[in-house]
Coordinates of all heavy atoms in Angstrom, one line a residue:
R63 N 119.3 116.6 100.9 CA 118.4 116.2 101.9 C 117.2 115.4 101.2 O 116.9 115.7 100.0 CB 117.8 117.5 102.5 CG 119.0 118.2 103.2 CD 118.4 119.4 103.9 NE 118.1 119.0 105.2 CZ 117.5 119.7 106.1 NH1 117.1 120.9 105.8 NH2 117.2 119.2 107.3
R64 N 116.6 114.6 102.0 CA 115.5 113.8 101.4 C 114.1 114.3 101.6 O 113.9 115.2 102.4 CB 115.6 112.4 101.9 CG 117.0 111.7 101.7 CD 117.1 110.3 102.3 NE 115.9 109.6 102.2 CZ 115.1 109.3 103.2 NH1 115.4 109.7 104.4 NH2 114.1 108.6 103.1
L65 N 113.2 113.7 100.9 CA 111.8 114.1 101.1 C 111.3 114.1 102.6 O 110.6 114.9 103.0 CB 110.9 113.2 100.3 CG 109.4 113.6 100.4 CD1 109.1 114.9 99.8 CD2 108.6 112.4 99.7
V66 N 111.8 113.1 103.4 CA 111.3 113.0 104.8 C 111.6 114.2 105.6 O 111.0 114.4 106.5 CB 112.0 111.7 105.4 CG1 111.3 110.4 104.8 CG2 113.4 111.7 105.4
S67 N 112.6 115.0 105.1 CA 112.9 116.3 105.8 C 112.1 117.4 105.3 O 112.2 118.5 105.7 CB 114.4 116.6 105.6 OG 114.7 116.9 104.2
G68 N 111.3 117.1 104.2 CA 110.4 118.1 103.7 C 111.1 118.8 102.5 O 110.6 119.7 101.8
E69 N 112.3 118.4 102.2 CA 113.1 119.0 101.1 C 113.8 117.9 100.2 O 114.0 116.8 100.7 CB 114.2 119.9 101.7 CG 113.6 121.0 102.4 CD 114.8 121.9 103.1 OE1 115.9 121.7 102.7 OE2 114.5 122.6 104.0
G70 N 114.1 118.3 99.0 CA 114.9 117.4 98.2 C 114.1 116.3 97.6 O 112.9 116.2 97.7
P71 N 114.8 115.4 96.8 CA 114.1 114.3 96.1 C 113.6 113.2 97.0 O 113.9 113.0 98.1 CB 115.2 113.8 95.2 CG 116.5 114.0 96.0 CD 116.2 115.3 96.7
L72 N 112.7 112.4 96.3 CA 112.2 111.2 97.0 C 113.2 110.1 96.5 O 113.5 110.0 95.3 CB 110.7 111.0 96.4 CG 110.1 109.8 97.1 CD1 108.7 110.2 97.6 CD2 109.9 108.6 96.1
L73 N 113.5 109.2 97.4 CA 114.4 108.1 97.0 C 113.8 106.8 97.0 O 113.1 106.3 98.0 CB 115.6 108.1 98.2 CG 116.6 107.0 97.9 CD1 117.3 107.2 96.6 CD2 117.6 107.0 99.1
V74 N 113.9 106.1 95.8 CA 113.3 104.9 95.6 C 114.4 103.9 95.2 O 115.3 104.1 94.3 CB 112.2 104.8 94.4 CG1 111.7 103.4 94.2 CG2 111.2 105.8 94.7
G75 N 114.5 102.8 96.0 CA 115.6 101.8 95.8 C 114.9 100.6 95.2 O 113.7 100.3 95.3
F76 N 115.8 99.7 94.7 CA 115.4 98.5 94.1 C 116.2 97.3 94.6 O 117.4 97.5 94.8 CB 115.5 98.5 92.6 CG 114.5 99.5 91.9 CD1 114.8 100.9 91.9 CD2 113.3 99.1 91.4 CE1 114.0 101.7 91.3 CE2 112.4 100.0 90.9 CZ 112.7 101.3 90.9
A77 N 115.5 96.2 95.0 CA 116.3 95.0 95.5 C 115.8 93.8 94.8 O 114.7 93.4 94.8 CB 115.9 95.0 97.0
A78 N 116.8 93.1 94.1 CA 116.6 91.9 93.6 C 117.1 90.8 94.6 O 118.2 90.7 94.9 CB 117.3 91.8 92.2
E79 N 116.1 89.9 95.0 CA 116.4 89.0 96.0 C 116.1 87.6 95.6 O 115.2 87.4 94.6 CB 115.7 89.3 97.3 CG 115.9 90.7 97.8 CD 117.3 90.9 98.4 OE1 118.0 89.9 98.6 OE2 117.7 92.1 98.7
T80 N 116.7 86.6 96.3 CA 116.3 85.2 96.0 C 115.7 84.5 97.1 O 115.1 83.4 97.0 CB 117.6 84.4 95.6 OG1 118.5 84.5 96.6 CG2 118.1 84.9 94.2
E81 N 115.7 85.1 98.4 CA 115.1 84.5 99.6 C 114.9 85.6 100.6 O 115.6 86.7 100.5 CB 115.9 83.4 100.2 CG 117.3 83.8 100.5 CD 118.2 82.7 101.1 OE1 118.0 81.5 100.5 OE2 118.8 82.9 102.0
G82 N 113.9 85.5 101.4 CA 113.6 86.5 102.4 C 113.5 87.9 101.8 O 114.0 88.9 102.4
V83 N 112.8 87.9 100.7 CA 112.6 89.1 99.9 C 112.1 90.3 100.8 O 112.8 91.4 100.7 CB 111.6 88.9 98.7 CG1 111.4 90.1 98.0 CG2 112.2 87.8 97.9
V84 N 111.1 90.2 101.5 CA 110.5 91.4 102.2 C 111.5 91.8 103.3 O 111.8 93.0 103.5 CB 109.1 91.1 102.7 CG1 108.6 92.3 103.6 CG2 108.1 90.9 101.5
A85 N 112.0 90.8 104.1 CA 112.8 91.1 105.2 C 114.1 91.8 104.7 O 114.6 92.9 105.3 CB 113.2 89.9 105.9
R86 N 114.8 91.3 103.7 CA 115.9 91.9 103.2 C 115.8 93.3 102.6 O 116.5 94.2 102.8 CB 116.6 91.0 102.1 CG 117.2 89.7 102.7 CD 117.8 88.8 101.7 NE 118.3 87.6 102.3 CZ 119.5 87.1 101.9 NH1 120.2 87.7 101.1 NH2 119.9 86.0 102.5
A87 N 114.6 93.4 101.8 CA 114.4 94.7 101.2 C 114.0 95.7 102.3 O 114.4 96.9 102.1 CB 113.2 94.6 100.2
T88 N 113.3 95.3 103.3 CA 113.0 96.2 104.4 C 114.2 96.7 105.1 O 114.4 97.9 105.4 CB 112.1 95.5 105.5 OG1 110.9 95.2 104.8 CG2 111.8 96.5 106.6
A89 N 115.2 95.8 105.3 CA 116.5 96.2 105.9 C 117.3 97.2 105.0 O 117.8 98.2 105.5 CB 117.4 94.9 106.1
K90 N 117.2 96.9 103.7 CA 117.9 97.8 102.7 C 117.2 99.2 102.8 O 117.9 100.2 102.7 CB 117.8 97.2 101.3 CG 118.8 96.0 101.1 CD 118.7 95.6 99.7 CE 119.7 94.4 99.5 NZ 119.7 93.8 98.2
R91 N 115.9 99.2 102.8 CA 115.2 100.6 102.9 C 115.7 101.3 104.0 O 116.0 102.5 104.0 CB 113.7 100.4 102.9 CG 112.9 101.7 102.8 CD 111.5 101.5 103.1 NE 111.2 101.4 104.5 CZ 111.3 102.4 105.4 NH1 111.6 103.7 105.0 NH2 111.0 102.2 106.6
E92 N 115.8 100.7 105.2 CA 116.2 101.4 106.4 C 117.8 101.8 106.3 O 118.1 103.0 106.7 CB 116.0 100.5 107.6 CG 114.5 100.3 107.9 CD 114.2 99.2 108.9 OE1 115.2 98.6 109.5 OE2 113.0 98.9 109.1
Q93 N 118.6 100.8 105.8 CA 120.0 101.2 105.7 C 120.3 102.3 104.7 O 121.2 103.1 105.0 CB 120.8 99.9 105.2 CG 120.8 98.8 106.2 CD 121.3 97.5 105.6 OE1 121.5 97.4 104.4 NE2 121.4 96.5 106.4
K94 N 119.6 102.3 103.6 CA 119.8 103.3 102.6 C 118.9 104.6 102.8 O 119.1 105.5 102.1 CB 119.5 102.8 101.2 CG 120.2 101.5 100.9 CD 121.7 101.8 100.7 CE 122.4 100.5 100.3 NZ 123.8 100.6 100.2
H95 N 118.1 104.6 103.9 CA 117.3 105.8 104.2 C 116.4 106.1 102.9 O 116.1 107.2 102.6 CB 118.0 106.9 104.6 CG 118.9 106.7 105.8 ND1 118.4 106.5 107.0 CD2 120.2 106.5 105.9 CE1 119.4 106.3 107.9 NE2 120.5 106.3 107.1
A96 N 115.9 105.1 102.2 CA 115.0 105.2 101.1 C 113.6 105.4 101.5 O 113.1 104.9 102.6 CB 115.1 104.0 100.2
D97 N 112.8 106.2 100.7 CA 111.4 106.3 101.0 C 110.6 105.1 100.6 O 109.8 104.6 101.3 CB 110.8 107.5 100.2 CG 111.5 108.8 100.6 OD1 111.1 109.3 101.8 OD2 112.4 109.3 100.0
L98 N 111.0 104.4 99.5 CA 110.4 103.2 99.0 C 111.5 102.3 98.6 O 112.5 102.7 98.0 CB 109.5 103.4 97.9 CG 108.2 104.2 98.1 CD1 107.5 104.5 96.7 CD2 107.3 103.6 99.1
V99 N 111.3 101.0 98.7 CA 112.2 100.0 98.0 C 111.2 99.1 97.3 O 110.2 98.6 97.8 CB 113.0 99.2 99.0 CG1 113.7 98.0 98.4 CG2 114.1 100.0 99.6
V100 N 111.5 98.8 96.1 CA 110.8 97.9 95.1 C 111.6 96.6 95.1 O 112.7 96.6 94.6 CB 110.6 98.5 93.8 CG1 109.8 97.5 92.9 CG2 109.9 99.9 93.9
A101 N 111.0 95.5 95.6 CA 111.7 94.3 95.7 C 111.1 93.3 94.9 O 109.9 93.2 94.7 CB 111.7 93.8 97.2
N102 N 112.0 92.5 94.2 CA 111.4 91.3 93.5 C 112.2 90.1 93.7 O 113.4 90.1 93.9 CB 111.3 91.6 92.0 CG 112.5 91.9 91.2 OD1 113.3 92.6 91.6 ND2 112.7 91.2 90.1
D103 N 111.6 89.0 93.7 CA 112.2 87.6 93.9 C 112.7 87.1 92.4 O 111.9 86.7 91.7 CB 111.2 86.6 94.4 CG 111.7 85.3 94.7 OD1 112.8 84.9 94.2 OD2 111.0 84.5 95.4
V104 N 114.0 87.2 92.2 CA 114.5 86.9 91.0 C 114.6 85.4 90.7 O 115.0 85.0 89.7 CB 115.9 87.6 90.7 CG1 115.7 89.1 90.6 CG2 116.9 87.2 91.7
S105 N 114.3 84.6 91.7 CA 114.3 83.2 91.5 C 113.0 82.7 90.8 O 112.9 81.5 90.4 CB 114.6 82.4 92.8 OG 113.4 82.6 93.7
R106 N 112.0 83.5 90.7 CA 110.8 83.2 90.1 C 110.9 83.1 88.6 O 111.6 83.9 88.0 CB 109.6 84.2 90.4 CG 109.2 84.2 91.8 CD 108.2 85.4 92.0 NE 107.0 85.1 91.1 CZ 105.8 85.4 91.5 NH1 105.6 86.0 92.6 NH2 104.8 85.2 90.7
E107 N 110.3 82.1 88.0 CA 110.4 81.9 86.5 C 109.4 82.8 85.7 O 109.6 83.1 84.6 CB 110.1 80.5 86.1 CG 111.3 79.5 86.6 CD 111.1 78.1 86.2 OE1 110.2 77.8 85.2 OE2 111.8 77.2 86.7
D108 N 108.4 83.3 86.4 CA 107.3 84.2 85.8 C 107.5 85.6 86.0 O 106.7 86.4 85.6 CB 106.0 83.7 86.2 CG 105.8 83.9 87.7 OD1 106.8 84.1 88.4 OD2 104.5 83.9 88.2
A109 N 108.7 86.0 86.6 CA 108.9 87.5 86.9 C 110.3 87.8 87.0 O 111.2 86.9 87.2 CB 108.2 87.7 88.3
G110 N 110.7 89.0 86.6 CA 112.0 89.4 86.8 C 112.8 89.4 85.5 O 112.3 90.0 84.4
F111 N 114.0 88.9 85.5 CA 114.9 88.9 84.2 C 114.3 88.0 83.2 O 113.8 86.9 83.5 CB 116.2 88.6 84.7 CG 116.8 89.5 85.7 CD1 117.2 89.0 87.0 CD2 117.0 90.8 85.5 CE1 117.7 89.8 87.9 CE2 117.4 91.7 86.5 CZ 117.8 91.1 87.7
E112 N 114.6 88.4 81.9 CA 114.3 87.6 80.7 C 112.9 87.2 80.5 O 112.6 86.3 79.8 CB 115.2 86.4 80.7 CG 116.7 86.8 80.7 CD 117.6 85.6 80.6 OE1 117.2 84.5 80.2 OE2 118.8 85.7 81.0
V113 N 112.0 87.9 81.1 CA 110.5 87.7 80.8 C 109.8 89.1 80.8 O 110.5 90.1 81.3 CB 109.8 86.8 81.9 CG1 110.3 85.4 81.9 CG2 109.9 87.3 83.3
N114 N 108.6 89.2 80.3 CA 108.0 90.5 80.1 C 107.1 90.9 81.3 O 106.4 91.8 81.3 CB 107.2 90.4 78.8 CG 108.0 90.3 77.6 OD1 109.1 90.9 77.5 ND2 107.6 89.6 76.6
T115 N 107.1 90.0 82.3 CA 106.3 90.3 83.5 C 107.1 90.4 84.8 O 108.3 89.9 84.7 CB 105.2 89.2 83.7 OG1 106.0 88.0 83.8 CG2 104.3 89.2 82.6
N116 N 106.5 91.0 85.8 CA 107.3 91.0 87.1 C 106.2 91.0 88.2 O 105.1 91.4 88.0 CB 108.2 92.3 87.2 CG 109.3 92.2 88.1 OD1 109.5 91.2 88.8 ND2 110.2 93.2 88.1
A117 N 106.7 90.6 89.3 CA 105.9 90.7 90.5 C 106.7 91.2 91.6 O 107.9 90.8 91.9 CB 105.4 89.2 91.0
V118 N 106.3 92.4 92.1 CA 107.1 93.1 93.1 C 106.4 93.4 94.4 O 105.2 93.3 94.5 CB 107.6 94.5 92.6 CG1 108.4 94.3 91.2 CG2 106.5 95.4 92.4
T119 N 107.1 93.7 95.4 CA 106.7 94.1 96.7 C 107.2 95.5 96.9 O 108.4 95.7 96.8 CB 107.1 93.2 97.9 OG1 106.5 91.8 97.6 CG2 106.5 93.7 99.2
I120 N 106.4 96.5 97.1 CA 106.7 97.8 97.3 C 106.7 98.1 98.9 O 105.7 98.0 99.5 CB 105.8 98.8 96.7 CG1 105.8 98.5 95.2 CG2 106.2 100.3 96.9 CD1 104.8 99.4 94.4
I121 N 107.9 98.4 99.4 CA 108.1 98.6 100.8 C 108.3 100.0 101.2 O 109.2 100.7 100.7 CB 109.2 97.7 101.3 CG1 109.0 96.3 101.0 CG2 109.5 97.9 102.8 CD1 110.2 95.4 101.0
G122 N 107.4 100.5 102.0 CA 107.6 101.9 102.5 C 107.5 101.9 104.0 O 107.6 100.9 104.7
R123 N 107.5 103.1 104.5 CA 107.5 103.3 106.0 C 106.4 102.6 106.7 O 106.6 102.1 107.8 CB 107.4 104.8 106.3 CG 107.1 105.3 107.7 CD 108.3 105.3 108.5 NE 108.1 105.9 109.8 CZ 107.4 105.5 110.8 NH1 106.8 104.4 110.7 NH2 107.5 106.1 112.0
N124 N 105.3 102.5 106.1 CA 104.1 101.8 106.7 C 103.9 100.4 106.4 O 102.9 99.8 106.6 CB 102.8 102.6 106.4 CG 102.9 104.0 106.9 OD1 103.4 104.2 108.0 ND2 102.4 104.9 106.2
G125 N 104.9 99.7 105.8 CA 104.8 98.3 105.5 C 105.0 97.9 104.0 O 105.5 98.7 103.3
A126 N 104.6 96.7 103.7 CA 104.9 96.1 102.4 C 103.6 95.9 101.6 O 102.6 95.5 102.3 CB 105.6 94.8 102.6
E127 N 103.5 96.1 100.4 CA 102.4 95.9 99.5 C 102.9 95.1 98.4 O 103.7 95.5 97.6 CB 101.9 97.2 99.0 CG 100.7 97.1 98.1 CD 100.3 98.4 97.4 OE1 100.9 99.4 97.6 OE2 99.2 98.3 96.7
T128 N 102.4 93.8 98.4 CA 102.8 92.9 97.3 C 101.8 93.0 96.1 O 100.6 92.8 96.3 CB 102.8 91.5 97.8 OG1 103.8 91.4 98.9 CG2 103.3 90.4 96.7
L129 N 102.4 93.2 94.9 CA 101.6 93.3 93.7 C 101.6 91.9 93.0 O 102.6 91.2 93.1 CB 102.1 94.3 92.7 CG 102.3 95.7 93.3 CD1 102.9 96.7 92.2 CD2 100.9 96.4 93.7
P130 N 100.5 91.6 92.2 CA 100.5 90.3 91.5 C 101.4 90.4 90.3 O 102.0 91.5 90.0 CB 99.0 90.3 91.1 CG 98.6 91.7 91.0 CD 99.3 92.4 92.1
V131 N 101.6 89.3 89.6 CA 102.3 89.4 88.4 C 101.6 90.3 87.3 O 100.5 90.1 87.0 CB 102.4 87.9 87.7 CG1 103.2 87.9 86.4 CG2 103.2 87.0 88.7
L132 N 102.4 91.3 86.9 CA 101.9 92.3 86.0 C 103.0 92.5 84.9 O 104.1 92.1 85.0 CB 101.7 93.6 86.7 CG 100.7 93.6 87.8 CD1 101.0 95.0 88.6 CD2 99.3 93.5 87.3
S133 N 102.5 93.1 83.8 CA 103.5 93.5 82.7 C 104.5 94.4 83.4 O 104.3 95.2 84.4 CB 102.8 94.1 81.5 OG 102.3 95.4 82.0
K134 N 105.7 94.5 82.8 CA 106.7 95.4 83.4 C 106.3 96.9 83.3 O 106.5 97.7 84.2 CB 108.0 95.2 82.8 CG 108.7 93.9 83.2 CD 110.0 93.6 82.7 CE 110.6 92.3 83.2 NZ 111.9 92.0 82.7
A135 N 105.5 97.2 82.2 CA 105.0 98.6 82.1 C 104.0 98.8 83.2 O 104.1 99.9 83.7 CB 104.4 98.7 80.7
R136 N 103.2 97.9 83.4 CA 102.2 98.1 84.5 C 102.9 98.3 85.9 O 102.5 99.1 86.8 CB 101.1 97.0 84.6 CG 100.0 97.2 85.5 CD 99.1 98.4 85.0 NE 98.5 99.0 86.1 CZ 98.1 100.3 86.2 NH1 98.3 101.0 85.2 NH2 97.5 100.7 87.3
V137 N 103.9 97.5 86.2 CA 104.7 97.6 87.4 C 105.3 98.9 87.5 O 105.2 99.6 88.6 CB 105.7 96.5 87.5 CG1 106.7 96.8 88.7 CG2 105.2 95.1 87.7
A138 N 105.8 99.5 86.4 CA 106.4 100.8 86.5 C 105.3 101.9 86.8 O 105.5 102.8 87.6 CB 107.1 101.1 85.2
A139 N 104.2 101.7 86.2 CA 103.0 102.6 86.5 C 102.6 102.6 88.0 O 102.4 103.6 88.6 CB 101.8 102.4 85.6
E140 N 102.6 101.4 88.5 CA 102.2 101.2 89.9 C 103.3 101.9 90.9 O 102.9 102.5 91.8 CB 102.1 99.7 90.3 CG 100.9 99.0 89.6 CD 99.6 99.5 90.1 OE1 99.4 99.9 91.3 OE2 98.5 99.4 89.3
I141 N 104.5 101.7 90.5 CA 105.6 102.4 91.3 C 105.4 103.9 91.2 O 105.4 104.5 92.3 CB 107.0 101.9 90.8 CG1 107.2 100.4 91.1 CG2 108.1 102.8 91.5 CD1 108.4 99.9 90.3
L142 N 105.2 104.4 90.0 CA 105.0 105.9 89.9 C 103.7 106.3 90.6 O 103.7 107.4 91.2 CB 105.0 106.2 88.4 CG 106.3 106.1 87.7 CD1 106.2 106.3 86.2 CD2 107.3 107.0 88.3
D143 N 102.7 105.5 90.7 CA 101.5 105.9 91.4 C 101.9 106.1 92.9 O 101.4 107.0 93.6 CB 100.4 104.8 91.4 CG 99.7 104.9 90.0 OD1 99.9 105.9 89.2 OD2 99.0 103.9 89.7
R144 N 102.7 105.2 93.5 CA 103.1 105.3 94.9 C 104.0 106.5 95.1 O 103.8 107.2 96.1 CB 103.8 104.0 95.3 CG 103.1 102.7 95.2 CD 101.6 102.7 95.5 NE 101.0 101.4 95.4 CZ 100.6 100.8 94.3 NH1 100.7 101.3 93.1 NH2 99.9 99.7 94.3
V145 N 104.9 106.8 94.2 CA 105.7 107.9 94.3 C 104.9 109.2 94.3 O 105.0 110.1 95.1 CB 106.8 107.9 93.1 CG1 107.5 109.3 93.1 CG2 107.8 106.8 93.4
E146 N 103.9 109.3 93.3 CA 103.1 110.4 93.3 C 102.3 110.7 94.6 O 102.2 111.8 95.1 CB 102.1 110.3 92.1 CG 101.2 111.5 92.0 CD 100.2 111.3 90.8 OE1 99.8 110.2 90.6 OE2 99.8 112.3 90.3
K147 N 101.8 109.6 95.2 CA 101.1 109.7 96.4 C 102.0 110.3 97.5 O 101.5 111.2 98.3 CB 100.5 108.4 96.8 CG 99.3 107.9 96.0 CD 98.9 106.5 96.5 CE 97.8 106.0 95.6 NZ 97.3 104.7 95.9
L148 N 103.3 109.9 97.6 CA 104.2 110.3 98.5 C 104.4 111.9 98.3 O 104.5 112.7 99.2 CB 105.5 109.6 98.6 CG 105.4 108.3 99.2 CD1 106.7 107.5 99.0 CD2 105.0 108.3 100.6
L149 N 104.6 112.2 97.0 CA 104.9 113.6 96.7 C 103.8 114.5 97.0 O 103.9 115.6 97.5 CB 105.4 113.7 95.3 CG 106.7 113.1 94.9 CD1 106.9 113.1 93.4 CD2 107.8 113.8 95.6
V150 N 102.5 114.1 96.7 CA 101.3 114.9 97.0 C 101.0 115.0 98.4 O 100.7 116.1 98.9 CB 100.1 114.3 96.1 CG1 98.8 115.0 96.5 CG2 100.4 114.4 94.7
S151 N 101.1 113.9 99.2 CA 100.8 113.9 100.6 C 101.8 114.6 101.4 O 101.5 115.0 102.6 CB 100.4 112.5 101.1 OG 101.6 111.7 101.1
G152 N 103.0 114.6 101.0 CA 104.1 115.1 101.8 C 104.6 114.2 102.9 O 103.8 113.2 103.2
P153 N 105.6 114.4 103.5 CA 106.2 113.5 104.5 C 105.4 113.3 105.7 O 105.3 112.1 106.1 CB 107.6 114.1 104.8 CG 107.4 115.6 104.4 CD 106.5 115.6 103.3
A154 N 104.8 114.2 106.2 CA 104.0 114.1 107.5 C 102.8 113.2 107.2 O 102.5 112.3 108.0 CB 103.6 115.4 108.1
K155 N 102.0 113.4 106.2 CA 100.9 112.6 105.9 C 101.2 111.3 105.4 O 100.4 110.4 105.5 CB 100.0 113.3 104.8 CG 99.3 114.6 105.4 CD 98.5 115.3 104.3 CE 98.0 116.6 104.8 NZ 97.3 117.3 103.8
A156 N 102.4 111.1 104.8 CA 102.8 109.8 104.3 C 103.4 109.0 105.5 O 103.7 107.8 105.3 CB 104.0 109.9 103.3
G157 N 103.5 109.5 106.7 CA 103.9 108.7 107.8 C 105.4 108.5 108.0 O 105.9 107.6 108.6
H158 N 106.2 109.4 107.4 CA 107.7 109.3 107.5 C 108.1 109.9 108.7 O 107.6 110.8 109.2 CB 108.3 110.0 106.3 CG 108.1 109.3 105.0 ND1 108.8 108.2 104.6 CD2 107.2 109.6 104.0 CE1 108.4 107.9 103.5 NE2 107.5 108.7 103.0
D159 N 109.3 109.4 109.2 CA 109.9 110.0 110.4 C 110.6 111.2 109.8 O 111.1 111.3 108.7 CB 111.1 109.0 110.8 CG 110.4 107.9 111.6 OD1 109.4 107.9 112.2 OD2 111.1 106.8 111.5
H160 N 110.8 112.2 110.7 CA 111.5 113.4 110.3 C 113.0 113.2 110.8 O 113.2 112.8 111.9 CB 110.9 114.7 111.0 CG 109.5 115.0 110.4 ND1 109.4 115.6 109.2 CD2 108.3 114.6 110.9 CE1 108.1 115.7 108.9 NE2 107.4 115.1 109.9
E161 N 113.9 113.5 109.9 CA 115.4 113.3 110.3 C 115.9 114.6 110.6 O 115.6 115.6 110.2 CB 116.1 112.6 109.2 CG 115.5 111.2 108.9 CD 116.2 110.5 107.8 OE1 117.0 111.2 106.9 OE2 116.1 109.3 107.6

């Protein structure tokens, strides 16, 4: 069971996209019943594979939050911050549907 039911782990998915990044990642979040999806545009030269920086959009129940280009370590910290907020606030306060 997932966090949205008040039990079990929080599910975070990742989506590497080349176009329609937010739309595709939003669809994946819904299909996979993930609490968050972290999406990045792998066609960018300044983010993603083979560079030390990344720019991601974190998609949750309440919409998408696009982060600027950051070090990969900083991106990881930002993702963990969002996970911590969901874990602390619980599913009802985080705006999740109950399944």
